[in-house]
Amino acid sequence: LTPRLLADAPRLRALAERGTSRPLEGVFPAVTCTAQATALTGAGPSDHGIVGNGWLHRDTGEIRFWLQSNALIQGETVYAAARRLAAAQDRPFTAAKLFWWFNQGAPVDLSVTPKPWYGSDGSKAFGIHGRPASLPSELERDHGPFPFHAFWGPMAGRASTDWIARAAAGVLRAHRPTFTLVYLPHLDYDHQRHGPDHADTPARVAEVDAAAGLLLDAAGEIGAEVVAFSEYGLQPVSRSSRPNRILRRDRLLAVRDGPFGETIDVFESGAFAVCDHQVAHVYARDEAARERARELFEDEPTVARVLVGEARTEVGLDHDRAGDLVLLAERDAWFAYPYWLDERRAPDFARTVDIHRKPGYDPLELFLSPRIRMPKLRLARLLLRKKLGFRYRMNVVPLDPTLVKGSHGVAPADPQDGPVLIAPDEAAGVRSLADLKQDALERLDLA
């Protein structure tokens, strides 16, 4: 959601008219995990360490995306601070964290987050995880199974946001937490598929607004204040680049070929890129590889800036988890992760929704391949095989980056297209995502 799109959100706009709304200064990189960590801690990625949705774990040589452990955040979160302050003042405090990131192990009383089960034969069963352990089953009893297929993948859309809003409203009414965080995700999806300026955008905004209305109603019933904000705004993109192919053609990136296609060999590579929307972290083995990578990317037309070493401080990424080089895309461009030069050697996971094995973020997981005839029938057949207990591979994701029409990561040219704050009052101290922690503590009368 952005200030510009608020016109299509009547319930949230009414909250803003009673109080205030304004553009928020975001964080770099403007991606989900970094933005949420900044809102939780009041700090930037140089301090909290969440440098993107994923990064290279230098001690193990693994590229990991979408990790959920609260312990990854290096800094005191708002719910930890509130609990500490409430205890010091001998005041009761309970917190609920519903579908926010870094949910597992968070010091909250109520939590729900997507968490599939993985079988020893490679099978996967959708599910949600939470605290107390009974809460997910209670919510699915009341609201039906969580529509995991609508939370991410080619069928991602409104159903996930609607379920989260209904469940969160139920938690508010039944448990009356002192402090509640709720994440409504789906506006992001069509903005990446079609771009934020697509003709259907007002309808998608209205859907999120209707879901927010369920929370506004429940909050009103229990006397809770609502502060709404977004993590970033998306912007239209018309081109992309593949930093890993650039590195591979220069013999800096090495691969291991095998029966399931090529994979990046991080230990034998001089340099490789972890691509995350409009930002790429490039990890280099030594100074010579770093300098050669810098030369390559400074000549790449989709790259706006190449930040090396201490220069990363300019964008708040002076942290060991960040790449040795950080690439910023031009506003109309984004970075795709592919490293293979021959599509026939693409790894088997490339055409599937596989967020944990891909060494980069892949927005193409939101699409069904246009090469597949009757793709919905193909999906139905694969799901039937799953239901019958047969092995299957959901290889329906395309490899064509031109399909993506929206992205985020770098700041938009106009703050009206960036993140937005909607508050029931002036919220005078809130100008950025980093101000939200202190604002919450003040609203709880704990600061």
Side-chain angles (χ1 to χ4, degrees):
L1 191 65
T2 65
R4 192 184 307 280
L5 295 177
L6 192 56
D8 297 310
R11 292 297 305 273
L12 290 172
R13 190 174 69 248
L15 175 65
E17 289 169 351
R18 293 192 299 273
T20 189
S21 70
R22 67 172 67 98
L24 276 179
E25 180 184 338
V27 65
F28 179 85
V31 297
T32 300
C33 292
T34 305
Q36 291 195 12
T38 290
L40 291 173
T41 62
S46 289
D47 295 315
H48 61 58
I50 308 303
V51 299
N53 293 321
W55 57 84
L56 171 70
H57 292 245
R58 296 177 187 266
D59 51 350
T60 64
E62 295 174 290
I63 300 168
R64 303 292 303 278
F65 267 71
W66 305 113
L67 297 177
Q68 294 237 37
S69 172
N70 186 79
L72 288 168
I73 299 176
Q74 299 170 345
E76 189 177 45
T77 56
V78 59
Y79 34 78
R83 190 173 300 280
R84 172 177 55 80
L85 293 167
Q89 300 172 31
D90 196 24
R91 293 175 53 186
F93 175 79
T94 56
K97 189 177 184 185
L98 308 175
F99 288 85
W100 266 60
W101 223 254
F102 308 110
N103 208 314
Q104 293 194 288
V108 297
D109 305 276
L110 301 151
S111 68
V112 187
T113 194
K115 191 70 175 178
W117 289 278
Y118 296 93
S120 61
D121 63 350
S123 60
K124 179 170 71 172
F126 293 143
I128 53 177
H129 181 267
R131 176 185 293 168
S134 59
L135 182 59
S137 58
E138 291 171 3
L139 293 176
E140 292 197 310
R141 179 197 64 206
D142 294 341
H143 305 286
F146 177 67
F148 211 105
H149 65 281
F151 187 73
W152 186 249
M155 308 306 291
R158 178 179 185 173
S160 60
T161 287
D162 284 349
W163 193 98
I164 293 169
R166 293 195 309 273
V171 168
L172 285 172
R173 291 187 175 99
H175 299 277
R176 301 174 69 92
T178 318
F179 179 60
T180 305
L181 292 161
V182 185
Y183 175 46
L184 303 177
H186 91 278
L187 186 59
D188 201 317
Y189 305 150
D190 274 3
H191 281 186
Q192 292 188 65
R193 290 180 180 121
H194 309 302
D197 51 1
H198 190 266
D200 288 340
T201 291
R204 300 292 84 76
V205 175
E207 291 169 359
V208 169
D209 184 70
L214 299 178
L215 297 172
L216 288 167
D217 292 341
E221 291 176 24
I222 69 169
E225 283 188 342
V226 176
V227 175
F229 64 94
S230 56
E231 306 152 295
Y232 45 75
L234 282 90
Q235 44 202 337
V237 293
S238 58
R239 53 187 177 142
S240 66
S241 69
R242 301 175 178 90
N244 281 316
R245 288 189 177 175
I246 294 171
L247 294 169
R248 184 171 180 185
R249 289 191 177 102
D250 203 67
R251 300 184 183 278
L252 283 170
L253 184 146
V255 301
R256 182 188 182 204
D257 202 358
F260 307 112
E262 295 177 339
T263 54
I264 295 178
D265 190 334
V266 301
F267 297 102
E268 296 301 320
S269 292
F272 57 88
V274 175
C275 299
D276 194 357
H277 296 86
Q278 293 181 307
V279 181
H281 292 269
V282 180
Y283 298 88
R285 182 170 55 201
D286 51 36
E287 186 174 349
R290 187 182 73 175
E291 286 305 302
R292 178 55 184 158
R294 179 184 59 79
E295 293 171 1
L296 291 171
F297 291 122
E298 284 181 343
D299 292 333
E300 171 59 31
T302 58
V303 176
R305 297 186 69 190
V306 181
L307 301 173
V308 182
E310 293 183 0
R312 301 171 304 169
T313 306
E314 296 178 34
V315 292
L317 280 177
D318 184 17
H319 194 280
D320 185 61
R321 290 174 178 171
D324 303 297
L325 302 85
V326 176
L327 311 183
L328 285 64
E330 297 285 357
R331 287 195 176 95
D332 66 338
W334 65 281
F335 297 128
Y337 83 91
Y339 48 85
W340 53 90
L341 304 180
D342 183 340
E343 196 170 292
R344 293 171 297 181
R345 300 311 306 149
D348 61 353
F349 57 70
R351 293 181 174 86
T352 69
V353 176
D354 199 339
I355 64 172
H356 296 303
R357 282 208 295 167
K358 291 181 179 178
Y361 170 73
D362 186 10
L364 290 171
E365 292 185 344
L366 289 167
F367 296 82
L368 288 170
S369 175
R371 295 184 182 181
I372 300 173
R373 294 181 58 193
M374 296 183 288
K376 291 187 177 180
L377 178 60
R378 169 80 167 272
L379 275 177
R381 291 175 61 187
L382 290 170
L383 290 172
L384 179 61
R385 288 183 62 84
K386 176 183 178 183
K387 190 172 183 179
L388 293 173
F390 292 106
R391 292 182 64 86
Y392 71 100
R393 189 156 59 93
M394 196 70 72
N395 53 343
V396 296
V397 172
L399 301 181
D400 179 7
T402 65
L403 295 171
V404 176
K405 302 302 181 186
S407 192
H408 55 94
V410 299
D414 188 337
Q416 291 295 311
D417 298 313
V420 62
L421 170 77
I422 305 159
D425 48 36
E426 282 299 311
V430 182
R431 301 291 168 180
S432 72
L433 286 173
D435 297 328
L436 289 164
K437 175 186 176 182
Q438 182 63 26
D439 181 69
L441 295 175
E442 291 173 359
R443 290 180 187 279
L444 293 164
D445 196 25
L446 292 170

Coordinates of all heavy atoms in Angstrom, one line a residue, residues 271-334:
A271 N 33.2 -15.4 -7.4 CA 32.1 -14.5 -7.0 C 30.8 -15.0 -7.4 O 30.7 -15.7 -8.5 CB 32.4 -13.1 -7.5
F272 N 29.7 -14.7 -6.7 CA 28.4 -15.0 -7.1 C 27.4 -14.0 -6.5 O 27.8 -13.4 -5.5 CB 28.0 -16.5 -6.7 CG 28.2 -16.7 -5.2 CD1 27.1 -16.5 -4.3 CD2 29.4 -17.2 -4.7 CE1 27.3 -16.7 -3.0 CE2 29.5 -17.5 -3.4 CZ 28.5 -17.2 -2.5
A273 N 26.2 -13.9 -7.0 CA 25.3 -12.9 -6.6 C 24.1 -13.6 -5.9 O 23.5 -14.5 -6.5 CB 24.9 -12.0 -7.7
V274 N 23.6 -13.0 -4.8 CA 22.3 -13.4 -4.2 C 21.4 -12.3 -4.5 O 21.4 -11.2 -4.0 CB 22.5 -13.6 -2.7 CG1 21.2 -13.9 -2.0 CG2 23.5 -14.7 -2.4
C275 N 20.5 -12.6 -5.5 CA 19.6 -11.6 -6.0 C 18.3 -11.5 -5.2 O 17.7 -12.6 -4.9 CB 19.2 -11.9 -7.5 SG 20.7 -11.9 -8.5
D276 N 17.8 -10.3 -4.9 CA 16.7 -10.1 -4.1 C 15.9 -8.9 -4.6 O 16.2 -7.8 -4.1 CB 17.2 -9.9 -2.6 CG 16.0 -10.0 -1.6 OD1 14.9 -10.2 -2.0 OD2 16.4 -9.9 -0.4
H277 N 15.0 -9.1 -5.6 CA 14.2 -8.0 -6.2 C 15.2 -7.0 -6.9 O 15.8 -7.4 -7.8 CB 13.4 -7.3 -5.1 CG 12.3 -8.2 -4.5 ND1 12.5 -9.0 -3.4 CD2 11.0 -8.3 -4.8 CE1 11.4 -9.6 -3.1 NE2 10.5 -9.3 -4.0
Q278 N 15.3 -5.8 -6.4 CA 16.1 -4.8 -7.0 C 17.5 -4.6 -6.3 O 18.2 -3.6 -6.6 CB 15.4 -3.4 -7.0 CG 14.1 -3.4 -7.9 CD 13.4 -2.1 -7.9 OE1 13.1 -1.5 -6.8 NE2 13.2 -1.5 -9.1
V279 N 17.8 -5.6 -5.5 CA 19.1 -5.5 -4.8 C 19.8 -6.9 -5.0 O 19.2 -7.9 -5.1 CB 18.9 -5.3 -3.3 CG1 20.2 -5.2 -2.6 CG2 18.1 -4.0 -3.1
A280 N 21.1 -6.8 -5.2 CA 21.9 -8.1 -5.3 C 23.1 -8.0 -4.4 O 23.8 -7.0 -4.4 CB 22.3 -8.4 -6.7
H281 N 23.3 -9.0 -3.5 CA 24.5 -9.1 -2.7 C 25.5 -10.0 -3.5 O 25.2 -11.1 -3.7 CB 24.2 -9.7 -1.4 CG 23.3 -8.9 -0.5 ND1 23.9 -8.0 0.4 CD2 22.0 -8.8 -0.3 CE1 22.9 -7.3 1.1 NE2 21.7 -7.8 0.6
V282 N 26.7 -9.4 -3.8 CA 27.7 -10.2 -4.5 C 28.8 -10.5 -3.5 O 29.4 -9.7 -2.8 CB 28.3 -9.4 -5.6 CG1 29.4 -10.2 -6.4 CG2 27.2 -9.0 -6.6
Y283 N 29.0 -11.8 -3.3 CA 30.1 -12.3 -2.4 C 31.3 -12.7 -3.2 O 31.2 -13.5 -4.2 CB 29.5 -13.5 -1.6 CG 28.3 -13.1 -0.7 CD1 27.0 -13.2 -1.3 CD2 28.5 -12.7 0.6 CE1 25.9 -12.8 -0.5 CE2 27.4 -12.3 1.4 CZ 26.1 -12.4 0.8 OH 25.1 -12.1 1.6
A284 N 32.4 -12.2 -2.8 CA 33.7 -12.4 -3.5 C 34.7 -13.2 -2.7 O 34.8 -12.9 -1.5 CB 34.3 -11.1 -4.0
R285 N 35.4 -14.1 -3.3 CA 36.4 -14.9 -2.5 C 37.6 -14.1 -2.1 O 38.2 -14.3 -1.0 CB 36.9 -16.1 -3.4 CG 37.8 -17.0 -2.7 CD 38.0 -18.3 -3.6 NE 38.4 -18.0 -4.9 CZ 38.3 -18.8 -6.0 NH1 37.7 -20.0 -5.8 NH2 38.7 -18.5 -7.1
D286 N 38.1 -13.1 -2.9 CA 39.2 -12.4 -2.6 C 39.1 -11.0 -3.2 O 38.2 -10.7 -3.9 CB 40.5 -13.1 -3.0 CG 40.5 -13.5 -4.4 OD1 39.9 -12.8 -5.3 OD2 41.0 -14.6 -4.7
E287 N 40.2 -10.2 -3.0 CA 40.1 -8.8 -3.5 C 40.1 -8.7 -5.0 O 39.5 -7.9 -5.6 CB 41.3 -8.0 -2.9 CG 41.2 -6.5 -3.3 CD 42.3 -5.7 -2.6 OE1 43.0 -6.2 -1.7 OE2 42.5 -4.5 -3.0
A288 N 40.9 -9.6 -5.6 CA 40.9 -9.6 -7.1 C 39.6 -9.9 -7.7 O 39.1 -9.3 -8.7 CB 42.0 -10.7 -7.6
A289 N 38.9 -10.9 -7.1 CA 37.6 -11.3 -7.6 C 36.6 -10.1 -7.4 O 35.7 -9.8 -8.2 CB 37.1 -12.5 -7.0
R290 N 36.7 -9.5 -6.2 CA 35.8 -8.4 -5.9 C 36.0 -7.2 -6.9 O 35.0 -6.6 -7.4 CB 36.1 -7.9 -4.5 CG 35.1 -6.8 -4.0 CD 35.5 -6.3 -2.6 NE 36.7 -5.5 -2.6 CZ 37.2 -4.8 -1.6 NH1 36.6 -5.0 -0.4 NH2 38.2 -4.1 -1.7
E291 N 37.3 -6.9 -7.2 CA 37.5 -5.8 -8.2 C 37.1 -6.1 -9.6 O 36.5 -5.3 -10.3 CB 39.0 -5.5 -8.1 CG 39.4 -4.7 -6.9 CD 38.6 -3.5 -6.7 OE1 38.5 -2.6 -7.6 OE2 37.9 -3.4 -5.6
R292 N 37.2 -7.4 -10.0 CA 36.8 -7.8 -11.3 C 35.3 -7.7 -11.4 O 34.7 -7.2 -12.4 CB 37.3 -9.2 -11.6 CG 36.8 -9.7 -13.0 CD 37.2 -8.7 -14.1 NE 36.7 -9.1 -15.4 CZ 36.5 -8.3 -16.4 NH1 36.8 -7.0 -16.3 NH2 36.0 -8.8 -17.6
A293 N 34.6 -8.2 -10.3 CA 33.1 -8.1 -10.3 C 32.6 -6.6 -10.3 O 31.7 -6.3 -11.0 CB 32.6 -8.8 -9.0
R294 N 33.3 -5.8 -9.6 CA 33.0 -4.3 -9.6 C 33.1 -3.8 -11.0 O 32.2 -3.1 -11.5 CB 33.9 -3.6 -8.7 CG 33.6 -2.1 -8.7 CD 34.6 -1.3 -7.8 NE 35.9 -1.5 -8.3 CZ 36.5 -0.8 -9.3 NH1 35.7 0.0 -10.0 NH2 37.7 -1.0 -9.7
E295 N 34.1 -4.1 -11.8 CA 34.3 -3.7 -13.1 C 33.2 -4.1 -14.0 O 32.6 -3.4 -14.8 CB 35.6 -4.1 -13.7 CG 36.9 -3.5 -13.0 CD 38.1 -4.2 -13.5 OE1 38.1 -5.1 -14.3 OE2 39.2 -3.8 -13.0
L296 N 32.8 -5.4 -13.9 CA 31.7 -6.0 -14.7 C 30.4 -5.3 -14.5 O 29.7 -4.9 -15.4 CB 31.6 -7.5 -14.4 CG 32.7 -8.4 -14.8 CD1 32.5 -9.8 -14.3 CD2 32.8 -8.4 -16.4
F297 N 30.1 -5.0 -13.2 CA 28.7 -4.5 -12.9 C 28.7 -3.0 -13.1 O 27.6 -2.4 -13.3 CB 28.3 -4.9 -11.5 CG 28.0 -6.3 -11.4 CD1 28.7 -7.1 -10.5 CD2 27.1 -7.0 -12.2 CE1 28.5 -8.5 -10.4 CE2 26.9 -8.3 -12.1 CZ 27.6 -9.1 -11.2
E298 N 29.8 -2.3 -13.1 CA 29.7 -0.9 -13.3 C 29.4 -0.6 -14.8 O 29.0 0.5 -15.2 CB 31.1 -0.2 -12.9 CG 31.2 0.0 -11.4 CD 32.5 0.6 -11.0 OE1 33.4 0.7 -11.8 OE2 32.5 1.1 -9.8
D299 N 29.6 -1.6 -15.7 CA 29.3 -1.4 -17.1 C 27.9 -2.0 -17.4 O 27.5 -2.0 -18.6 CB 30.4 -2.2 -17.9 CG 31.7 -1.5 -17.9 OD1 31.7 -0.3 -17.6 OD2 32.7 -2.2 -18.1
E300 N 27.2 -2.5 -16.5 CA 25.9 -3.2 -16.7 C 24.8 -2.1 -16.7 O 24.6 -1.4 -15.7 CB 25.6 -4.2 -15.6 CG 24.2 -4.8 -15.6 CD 23.9 -5.5 -16.9 OE1 24.8 -6.0 -17.6 OE2 22.7 -5.5 -17.3
P301 N 24.0 -1.9 -17.8 CA 23.1 -0.8 -17.9 C 21.9 -0.9 -16.9 O 21.3 0.1 -16.6 CB 22.6 -0.9 -19.3 CG 22.9 -2.3 -19.8 CD 24.1 -2.7 -19.1
T302 N 21.6 -2.0 -16.3 CA 20.5 -2.1 -15.4 C 20.9 -1.8 -13.9 O 20.1 -1.7 -13.1 CB 19.9 -3.5 -15.4 OG1 20.9 -4.5 -15.1 CG2 19.3 -3.9 -16.7
V303 N 22.2 -1.7 -13.7 CA 22.8 -1.4 -12.4 C 23.0 0.1 -12.2 O 23.7 0.8 -12.9 CB 24.1 -2.1 -12.2 CG1 24.7 -1.8 -10.8 CG2 23.9 -3.6 -12.3
A304 N 22.3 0.7 -11.2 CA 22.4 2.1 -10.9 C 23.7 2.4 -10.1 O 24.3 3.4 -10.3 CB 21.2 2.6 -10.2
R305 N 24.0 1.5 -9.1 CA 25.1 1.8 -8.3 C 25.8 0.5 -7.9 O 25.1 -0.6 -7.7 CB 24.7 2.5 -7.0 CG 24.2 3.9 -7.2 CD 24.0 4.7 -5.9 NE 25.2 5.0 -5.2 CZ 25.3 5.4 -4.0 NH1 24.3 5.6 -3.3 NH2 26.5 5.7 -3.5
V306 N 27.1 0.5 -7.7 CA 27.8 -0.6 -7.1 C 28.5 -0.1 -5.9 O 29.4 0.7 -6.0 CB 28.9 -1.2 -8.2 CG1 29.6 -2.4 -7.6 CG2 28.2 -1.6 -9.5
L307 N 28.2 -0.7 -4.8 CA 28.8 -0.3 -3.5 C 29.7 -1.4 -3.0 O 29.3 -2.5 -2.8 CB 27.7 0.0 -2.4 CG 26.6 1.1 -2.8 CD1 25.5 1.1 -1.8 CD2 27.3 2.4 -3.0
V308 N 30.9 -1.0 -2.7 CA 32.0 -2.0 -2.4 C 32.5 -1.7 -1.0 O 32.8 -0.5 -0.7 CB 33.1 -2.0 -3.4 CG1 34.2 -3.0 -3.1 CG2 32.6 -2.2 -4.8
G309 N 32.6 -2.7 -0.2 CA 33.3 -2.6 1.1 C 32.6 -1.5 2.0 O 31.4 -1.6 2.2
E310 N 33.4 -0.6 2.5 CA 32.9 0.5 3.4 C 31.8 1.3 2.7 O 31.0 2.0 3.5 CB 34.1 1.3 3.9 CG 35.0 0.5 4.8 CD 36.1 1.4 5.3 OE1 36.1 2.6 5.0 OE2 37.0 0.9 6.1
A311 N 31.8 1.4 1.4 CA 30.8 2.2 0.8 C 29.4 1.7 1.1 O 28.4 2.5 0.9 CB 31.0 2.3 -0.7
R312 N 29.2 0.5 1.5 CA 27.9 -0.1 1.9 C 27.3 0.7 3.0 O 26.1 0.6 3.2 CB 28.0 -1.6 2.2 CG 28.6 -2.4 1.1 CD 28.9 -3.8 1.6 NE 29.8 -3.8 2.7 CZ 30.1 -4.8 3.5 NH1 29.5 -6.0 3.3 NH2 30.9 -4.7 4.5
T313 N 28.1 1.4 3.8 CA 27.6 2.2 4.9 C 26.6 3.2 4.4 O 25.7 3.6 5.2 CB 28.8 2.9 5.7 OG1 29.7 1.9 6.0 CG2 28.3 3.6 6.9
E314 N 26.8 3.7 3.2 CA 25.9 4.8 2.7 C 24.4 4.3 2.7 O 23.5 5.1 2.8 CB 26.3 5.1 1.2 CG 27.7 5.7 1.1 CD 28.0 6.0 -0.3 OE1 27.1 6.3 -1.1 OE2 29.2 5.9 -0.7
V315 N 24.2 3.0 2.5 CA 22.8 2.5 2.5 C 22.5 1.6 3.7 O 21.5 0.9 3.7 CB 22.6 1.7 1.1 CG1 22.6 2.6 -0.1 CG2 23.6 0.6 1.0
G316 N 23.3 1.7 4.7 CA 23.1 1.0 5.9 C 23.3 -0.5 5.9 O 22.6 -1.2 6.5
L317 N 24.2 -0.9 5.0 CA 24.5 -2.4 4.9 C 25.9 -2.7 5.3 O 26.5 -3.6 4.7 CB 24.2 -2.8 3.5 CG 22.7 -3.1 3.1 CD1 22.5 -3.4 1.7 CD2 22.1 -4.1 4.0
D318 N 26.4 -2.1 6.3 CA 27.8 -2.4 6.8 C 27.6 -3.5 7.8 O 27.7 -3.3 9.0 CB 28.4 -1.1 7.4 CG 29.8 -1.4 7.8 OD1 30.4 -2.4 7.4 OD2 30.4 -0.6 8.6
H319 N 27.5 -4.7 7.3 CA 27.2 -5.9 8.1 C 27.9 -7.1 7.5 O 27.9 -7.2 6.2 CB 25.7 -6.1 8.3 CG 25.5 -7.1 9.5 ND1 25.5 -8.4 9.3 CD2 25.1 -6.9 10.7 CE1 25.2 -9.0 10.4 NE2 24.9 -8.1 11.3
D320 N 28.4 -8.0 8.2 CA 29.1 -9.2 7.7 C 28.2 -10.0 6.8 O 28.6 -10.7 5.9 CB 29.6 -10.0 8.8 CG 30.5 -11.2 8.3 OD1 31.5 -10.9 7.6 OD2 30.1 -12.3 8.6
R321 N 26.9 -10.0 7.1 CA 26.0 -10.8 6.3 C 25.8 -10.3 4.9 O 25.4 -11.0 3.9 CB 24.6 -10.9 6.9 CG 24.6 -11.8 8.2 CD 23.2 -11.7 8.9 NE 23.1 -12.5 10.1 CZ 22.1 -12.5 10.9 NH1 21.1 -11.6 10.7 NH2 22.1 -13.2 12.0
A322 N 26.0 -9.0 4.7 CA 25.8 -8.3 3.4 C 26.9 -8.8 2.4 O 28.0 -9.3 2.8 CB 25.9 -6.8 3.5
G323 N 26.6 -8.6 1.1 CA 27.6 -9.0 0.1 C 28.8 -8.1 0.2 O 28.8 -6.9 0.7
D324 N 30.0 -8.5 -0.3 CA 31.1 -7.7 -0.4 C 30.9 -6.5 -1.4 O 31.5 -5.5 -1.2 CB 32.3 -8.6 -0.9 CG 32.6 -9.7 0.1 OD1 32.9 -9.5 1.2 OD2 32.4 -10.9 -0.4
L325 N 30.1 -6.8 -2.4 CA 29.5 -5.7 -3.2 C 28.0 -5.8 -3.1 O 27.4 -6.8 -3.0 CB 29.9 -5.9 -4.7 CG 31.4 -6.0 -5.1 CD1 31.9 -7.4 -5.0 CD2 31.5 -5.5 -6.6
V326 N 27.4 -4.6 -3.1 CA 25.9 -4.5 -3.2 C 25.5 -3.8 -4.4 O 26.0 -2.6 -4.7 CB 25.4 -3.8 -1.9 CG1 23.9 -3.6 -2.0 CG2 25.8 -4.5 -0.6
L327 N 24.7 -4.4 -5.2 CA 24.2 -3.8 -6.5 C 22.8 -3.2 -6.3 O 21.9 -3.9 -5.7 CB 24.1 -4.9 -7.6 CG 25.3 -5.7 -7.8 CD1 25.1 -6.7 -9.0 CD2 26.6 -4.9 -8.0
L328 N 22.6 -2.0 -6.7 CA 21.3 -1.4 -6.7 C 20.8 -1.3 -8.2 O 21.6 -0.8 -9.0 CB 21.3 0.0 -6.1 CG 21.4 0.2 -4.6 CD1 22.7 -0.4 -4.1 CD2 21.3 1.7 -4.3
A329 N 19.6 -1.8 -8.4 CA 19.1 -1.7 -9.8 C 18.6 -0.3 -10.1 O 18.2 0.5 -9.2 CB 17.9 -2.7 -9.9
E330 N 18.5 0.0 -11.4 CA 17.8 1.2 -11.9 C 16.3 0.9 -11.5 O 15.8 -0.2 -11.3 CB 17.9 1.3 -13.4 CG 19.3 1.6 -13.8 CD 19.8 3.1 -13.6 OE1 18.9 3.8 -13.0 OE2 20.9 3.4 -13.9
R331 N 15.5 2.0 -11.3 CA 14.2 1.9 -10.8 C 13.3 1.1 -11.7 O 12.3 0.5 -11.2 CB 13.6 3.3 -10.6 CG 14.2 4.0 -9.4 CD 13.3 5.2 -9.0 NE 13.8 5.8 -7.8 CZ 14.6 6.9 -7.8 NH1 15.0 7.4 -8.9 NH2 15.1 7.4 -6.6
D332 N 13.6 1.0 -13.0 CA 12.7 0.2 -13.9 C 13.3 -1.2 -14.2 O 12.9 -1.8 -15.1 CB 12.6 1.0 -15.2 CG 13.9 1.1 -16.0 OD1 15.0 1.0 -15.4 OD2 13.8 1.3 -17.2
A333 N 14.2 -1.6 -13.3 CA 14.8 -2.9 -13.5 C 14.8 -3.8 -12.2 O 14.6 -3.2 -11.1 CB 16.3 -2.7 -14.0
W334 N 15.1 -5.1 -12.4 CA 15.2 -5.9 -11.2 C 16.2 -7.0 -11.6 O 16.6 -7.2 -12.7 CB 13.9 -6.6 -10.8 CG 13.3 -7.5 -11.8 CD1 12.6 -7.2 -13.0 CD2 13.3 -8.9 -11.8 NE1 12.2 -8.3 -13.6 CE2 12.6 -9.4 -12.9 CE3 13.8 -9.9 -10.9 CZ2 12.4 -10.7 -13.2 CZ3 13.6 -11.2 -11.2 CH2 12.9 -11.6 -12.3

